[in-house]
Amino acid sequence: MADAQIELPGISSRTILAVFAHPDDESLACGGTLARLADAGARVVLLCASRGECGSVSDQSLIATSELGRVRSDELLEAARTLGIAEVIIYDHPDGDLRWADVPQLHDEIVAAIRRYQPNGVITFAEDGLYWHLDHIGVHERTFTAVRSFGADAPPLYYVTIPKGVMRDVVDAALATGAAFENTSFWGIEAEAFGQAATPSTFVVDVREWVPRKLAALGCHRTQIGPNHPFACIDEVQARRLLGLEHFRRAPTESRWESIIEQLGQQVPSS
Ligand SMILES: [Zn+2]
C-alpha cells in the first residue's frame, strides 16, 4: 500500500488547504489523510483559527514556564511536521468564541489563504463540528462562506466527520488493555457525543498505513493527550482497525474544479 499513492499523478504537486479551529483538530479529524496527501506529493497547508488557549490541560507542569496558547502552538508545529504539513498558519482568534468573534476577519483570512495558496481542495469540519463544538461549527461556517464566495472558481470543499461509535470503540479498546484511566471522556466530552449529529459521509480514505503517524501527531499535543489518554493506550492493531478510515463528504458548493481528495477515497463500507 505504501507505493499506491505514488501512482496518483492527480495528487502530486497539488495543494490542499485544511481549516480547523484548535491545535489537535487536524490530527484528530483527518491526520491520516493529511499525511497520506503529503506523502503523495501534495502541498498541505493548515490554517488554525486559534491557539487553543482555553482548553483543558493534561499536565499543568507542561505549561509551568509559558502560556498555554504558546505551548499549544509549538505542539501544533511539531504535529504538522509529523504529518508532513508544509505550512501552518495560526491565528489568534479567541478559543471558545470562534463562532461569534471576529466573524468578518476570519472569513477574510480564509479567503486570503485561498487566494494565496490556490488550493485544489479545502478540508474543514462538517456541520456537526465533530461533536457539536461551537468553535468547530463556527470554523465550518466561515470556511463554507469563504469558499462559496469564489463561486464557480471555488476549490472543492470537503467536510470531515468522525462517525458515531468510533470514539466509544476507542475507549473500549483502551480499557481492554488494562490501562488505568482518570476518565473515559475526551477533553471532558463523552465519547458518545462524537458523530452523534453527523451527516453520513460519502467516501472514506483508507489511512491504515498512516495511523501510526496520526497517533504520533496526536501525541505531539502533549498538553491535551497525556499518558492516560485513550489514544495513548490503544495498541497499534486496534488503532488501525478503529482509526484506519477517515470520513468525508463533498460540500454542496458550486465548483468547476476537478475532484481531488476523492482520488484517495473509496465508497463508505456498509457496516
Ligand atoms: Zn477543536
Side-chain angles (χ1 to χ4, degrees):
M1 179 180 291
D3 289 334
Q5 76 275 17
I6 295 170
E7 300 168 12
L8 291 167
I11 301 290
S12 179
S13 304
R14 303 301 181 94
T15 296
I16 301 296
L17 174 65
V19 185
F20 289 113
H22 315 103
D24 92 343
D25 293 333
E26 77 301 325
S27 303
L28 175 68
C30 58
T33 300
L34 299 181
R36 189 173 170 189
L37 285 163
D39 285 1
R43 176 177 65 156
V44 179
V45 178
L46 171 64
L47 190 160
C48 186
S50 82
R51 297 180 185 274
E53 69 274 10
C54 290
S56 57
V57 178
S58 65
D59 179 352
Q60 288 292 336
S61 70
L62 293 170
I63 56 169
T65 59
S66 187
E67 59 189 54
L68 182 56
R70 179 170 301 188
V71 173
R72 290 208 162 141
S73 299
D74 289 343
E75 291 174 345
L76 177 57
L77 296 178
E78 189 181 343
R81 282 193 293 275
T82 300
L83 296 174
I85 292 172
E87 290 194 46
V88 182
I89 309 158
I90 308 175
Y91 285 113
D92 278 312
H93 298 297
D95 182 12
D97 204 13
L98 293 179
R99 198 175 188 193
W100 297 281
D102 308 336
V103 166
Q105 191 179 343
L106 181 54
H107 169 94
D108 289 347
E109 287 160 350
I110 299 168
V111 167
I114 293 170
R115 287 214 177 97
R116 177 178 176 189
Y117 294 101
Q118 297 284 306
N120 302 90
V122 177
I123 301 173
T124 192
F125 302 104
E127 300 88 338
D128 72 318
L130 297 183
Y131 47 94
W132 219 248
H133 191 312
L134 295 177
D135 276 356
H136 296 178
I137 293 170
V139 168
H140 158 83
E141 292 168 343
R142 298 294 80 72
T143 307
F144 174 75
T145 57
V147 170
R148 193 177 59 176
S149 72
F150 286 83
D153 293 326
L157 175 62
Y158 298 91
Y159 295 151
V160 61
T161 54
I162 295 177
K164 188 177 173 181
V166 166
M167 297 298 257
R168 179 74 248 170
D169 290 345
V170 168
V171 169
D172 290 344
L175 287 169
T177 67
F181 287 105
E182 290 163 1
N183 60 62
T184 57
S185 67
F186 293 86
W187 312 285
I189 309 297
E190 291 303 317
E192 286 74 11
F194 287 80
Q196 193 72 42
T199 299
S201 54
T202 54
F203 71 97
V204 293
V205 175
D206 185 340
V207 297
R208 281 174 291 184
E209 294 297 318
W210 287 266
V211 162
R213 292 255 296 282
K214 175 175 176 144
L215 287 176
L218 280 164
C220 293
H221 295 284
R222 281 178 285 279
T223 56
Q224 305 195 64
I225 297 175
N228 292 328
H229 192 282
F231 282 132
C233 298
I234 52 174
D235 66 42
E236 192 173 313
V237 172
Q238 295 285 38
R240 286 179 199 258
R241 180 177 70 81
L242 297 171
L243 304 173
L245 296 178
E246 291 177 340
H247 290 246
F248 294 90
R249 178 164 57 90
R250 177 88 173 258
T253 46
E254 187 183 3
S255 178
R256 281 197 292 257
W257 292 38
E258 63 180 300
S259 60
I260 179 88
I261 298 175
E262 288 94 332
Q263 294 179 54
L264 297 177
Q266 54 192 260
Q267 285 194 322
V268 179
S270 54
S271 54

